[in-house]
Amino acid sequence: MSDDADTIRVPTARLREVKAEIDQLKRDLAALREEHENLRAHLKGSIQEVARLTQENERLRG
């Protein structure tokens, strides 16, 4: 037996399962980051449009 008490044996099939789970989580994270950036860009555009409309409204009232 090994002197390293932290060493364990794990079946290769289980290691493959864990790797597949990690790979899926990485894909999910990438998709969430893309969605976040898309939402951020949309929100920025919406805020700019509100500011433009507010200025236009003030100009028409003034």
Side-chain angles (χ1 to χ4, degrees), residues 29-52:
L29 180 58
L32 286 171
R33 284 182 173 152
E34 182 177 349
E35 183 177 356
H36 170 75
E37 286 304 315
N38 291 339
L39 288 170
R40 185 176 176 169
H42 176 73
L43 181 58
K44 181 179 179 182
S46 295
I47 290 170
Q48 289 172 340
E49 181 66 7
V50 167
R52 186 191 68 75

Side-chain angles (χ1 to χ4, degrees), residues 14 21 26 29 36 49 59-60:
R14 180 62 185 138
E21 291 172 11
K26 286 179 180 179
L29 180 58
H36 170 75
E49 181 66 7
R59 185 186 66 78
L60 292 173

Side-chain angles (χ1 to χ4, degrees), residues 52-62:
R52 186 191 68 75
L53 291 172
T54 299
Q55 289 176 345
E56 180 69 13
N57 187 39
E58 290 173 359
R59 185 186 66 78
L60 292 173
R61 289 178 136 192

